[in-house]
Structure formats: structure tokens, C-alpha cells
């Protein structure tokens, strides 16, 4: 990541978090219904749209091809970026902590247990891949598909749980955050099969961080705090390690 990219990422993450806090504070009336055509309710979508447009424009300088001939460590410099490794490790352990909290403090339904196990195993696979890339060692690319499956499952279950809520503003940020993390991890895994798209991965990394920051602003449960904080760390780690310059 360039310095300008980091600055914009911090700026938009802070703006999205503040806009979400403002939305929760004054964007709903006494009955819990959204206030129509209020500037406070329109600020967050505006911030997210502007951030997405800028992220896509900035990614235009990266190659768009999906079939890359080099190995994965050629495009992700984990061996040269201690910061990227630290972020991936923090993110991985945060996701494992989220899975443990879900098992301990939530209802132990079959679905919750399956998702928690998938999430913990997926985080462990990310840590394994990061260690291998750090050492420039070979590892099976299928290991990176496990966290993708965990995010897809989390997205499906989250939407199923909240789909009955007619007020989209209650949960659309979290839904977009899960979708962005799913796309990010899918594109990251694609590099292990020499089919990555840098022009798609970088905006997904940027938007994952911003959306996770907005989700954290809603003051969720401990398990959700660890989940979105872990997702933001992993997105930052992947973005910090990415090296697509010729």
C-alpha cells in the first residue's frame, strides 16, 4: 500500500464509523423506525459510495488479468513485511477468539457450533498460509478455500437471521462487510491457483476495512467485535503484503 492509500483508508474508515454512530443516534424515531430523507441517514451510504468509487479508480493501475504465471509469494511480500504478518496473525487469532466466544456465550445450536468450528479452522488455515508465504514454502492452495467457505456460511446465516427485519438500515452494513470479506478471501485464494485479479482484490481489501469499521461502531457483542476487528486486520494484512507493481 502507498502512503496515500493508507491515509484514505484511515479517513474513510473514521468517516464511516462516525456516520454509523450518527445514524444509530438520530436516524431512528421513538418507535425505532427510520427517519425518512434525513441527512444523518444519507451520510453513511454517501461515504461508502465515494470510498468504493475512489478504491476502484485507484485500483486501475493494477493488472486486471486473472491468470498470473508466478507463484503466490511473488505477489504477496509477507517475507518482507513484518507489519502484514502481524496483522494477519492478529486477525487470525481474533477470528478464533470470536468463534470461542460464540460457543461460550451464545446458544449452542447446531448451526452456531458448525459456524464457530468453520471460522476457527478457516482462521487457522490463514495463519498456516501466512507462515508458509513468510518462509516462501509451498502449501496446498485448497487451505485458503476453507476461510472462504466460513465467510460464505457466515453471510448466509447472518442474512437468514435478519432477513425478516423490514428495516434494512439495521443490518445492511454488516451484510456488506461479510460480502466484502468473502470477495477478498476468494480473490486471495485465487492467487494460490494462479487466477487472481489484483484490480478486484485491492478494492475488496479497502472496502472490507471500511465496512468492518462501520460495523464495529454499532457496539456489537464481544464475539462480533472480535470478528469484525479480525476481518479488518486480515484485510489490512493482505493489502499491506500485496505487491503488484511491475
Amino acid at each position: 500500500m502507498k502512503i496515500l492509500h493508507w491515509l484514505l483508508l484511515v479517513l474513510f474508515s473514521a468517516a464511516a464509523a462516525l456516520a454509523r454512530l450518527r445514524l444509530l443516534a438520530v436516524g431512528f424515531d421513538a418507535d425505532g423506525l427510520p427517519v425518512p430523507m434525513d441527512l444523518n441517514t444519507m451520510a453513511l451510504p454517501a461515504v461508502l459510495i465515494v470510498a468504493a468509487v475512489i478504491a476502484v479508480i485507484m485500483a486501475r493501475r493494477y493488472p486486471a488479468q486473472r491468470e498470473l504465471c508466478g507463484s503466490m509469494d511473488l505477489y504477496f511480500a509477507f517475507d518482507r513485511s513484518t507489519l502484514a504478518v502481524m496483522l494477519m496473525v492478529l486477525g487470525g487469532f481474533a477470528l478464533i477468539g470470536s468463534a470461542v466466544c460464540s460457543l461460550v456465550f451464545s446458544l449452542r445450536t447446531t448451526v452456531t457450533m458448525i459456524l464457530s468450528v468453520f471460522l476457527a479452522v478457516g482462521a487457522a488455515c490463514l495463519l498456516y498460509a501466512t507462515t508458509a508465504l513468510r518462509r516462501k514454502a509451498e502449501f496446498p492452495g485448497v487451505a485458503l478455500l476453507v476461510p472462504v467457505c466460513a465467510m460464505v456460511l457466515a453471510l448466509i446465516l447472518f442474512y437468514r437471521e435478519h432477513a425478516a427485519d423490514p428495516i434494512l438500515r439495521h443490518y445492511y452494513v454488516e451484510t456488506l462487510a461479510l460480502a466484502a470479506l468473502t470477495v477478498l478471501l476468494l480473490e486471495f485464494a485465487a492467487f494460490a491457483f494462479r487466477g487472481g485479479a489484483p484490480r478486484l482484490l485491492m478494492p475488496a481489501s479497502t472496502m472490507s476495512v471500511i465496512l468492518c469499521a462501520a460495523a464495529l461502531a454499532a457496539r456489537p457483542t464481544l464475539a462480533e467485535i472480535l470478528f469484525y476487528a479480525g476481518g479488518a486486520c486480515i484485510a489490512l494484512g493482505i493489502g499491506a503484503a500485496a505487491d503488484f507493481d511491475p
Side-chain angles (χ1 to χ4, degrees):
M1 285 187 180
K2 304 297 184 182
I3 295 179
L4 177 61
H5 196 167
W6 282 107
L7 291 175
L8 289 174
L9 194 57
V10 172
L11 175 64
F12 278 109
S13 296
L18 291 174
R20 185 77 186 283
L21 287 172
R22 188 66 178 170
L23 171 64
L24 295 173
V26 299
F28 300 93
D29 59 22
D31 297 323
L33 298 176
V35 178
M37 300 304 295
D38 183 74
L39 289 178
N40 293 299
T41 64
M42 299 172 64
L44 180 57
V47 169
L48 296 178
I49 291 172
V50 173
V53 170
I54 292 178
V56 170
I57 292 175
M58 292 182 66
R60 294 293 298 175
R61 68 188 183 89
Y62 297 117
Q65 68 268 22
R66 300 190 66 85
E67 295 183 1
L68 304 177
C69 59
S71 60
M72 195 171 181
D73 57 10
L74 181 64
Y75 306 104
F76 295 94
F78 284 104
D79 59 316
R80 302 192 304 271
S81 178
T82 303
L83 174 62
V85 174
M86 290 178 60
L87 288 168
M88 294 294 288
V89 171
L90 286 174
F93 279 106
L95 291 184
I96 293 174
S98 175
V100 173
C101 286
S102 295
L103 287 174
V104 173
F105 299 111
S106 301
L107 293 176
R108 295 183 183 179
T109 62
T110 302
V111 172
T112 300
M113 294 179 67
I114 292 175
L115 177 58
S116 297
V117 171
F118 245 107
L119 187 61
V121 174
C125 288
L126 280 175
L127 293 174
Y128 165 65
T130 301
T131 302
L133 290 170
R134 174 76 170 179
R135 298 176 178 175
K136 288 194 170 184
E138 294 291 332
F139 68 95
V142 71
L144 290 177
L145 295 180
V146 179
V148 176
C149 294
M151 285 299 166
V152 171
L153 182 60
L155 176 58
I156 293 173
L157 295 179
F158 179 86
Y159 183 76
R160 191 182 75 169
E161 181 181 352
H162 294 83
D165 188 347
I167 303 176
L168 192 61
R169 295 174 192 173
H170 286 161
Y171 62 94
Y172 81 91
V173 171
E174 288 78 8
T175 303
L176 290 176
L178 287 168
L181 286 170
T182 301
V183 173
L184 171 65
L185 292 175
L186 180 61
E187 285 302 316
F188 184 57
F191 282 88
F193 301 94
R194 302 189 180 184
R199 201 174 288 179
L200 180 59
L201 181 135
M202 294 308 293
S205 172
T206 300
M207 293 309 300
S208 293
V209 176
I210 295 171
L211 288 164
C212 284
L216 286 169
R219 295 185 292 273
T221 64
L222 177 59
E224 292 170 331
I225 289 174
L226 290 172
F227 179 88
Y228 293 113
C233 286
I234 289 171
L236 284 170
I238 292 174
D243 183 10
F244 303 126
D245 292 329

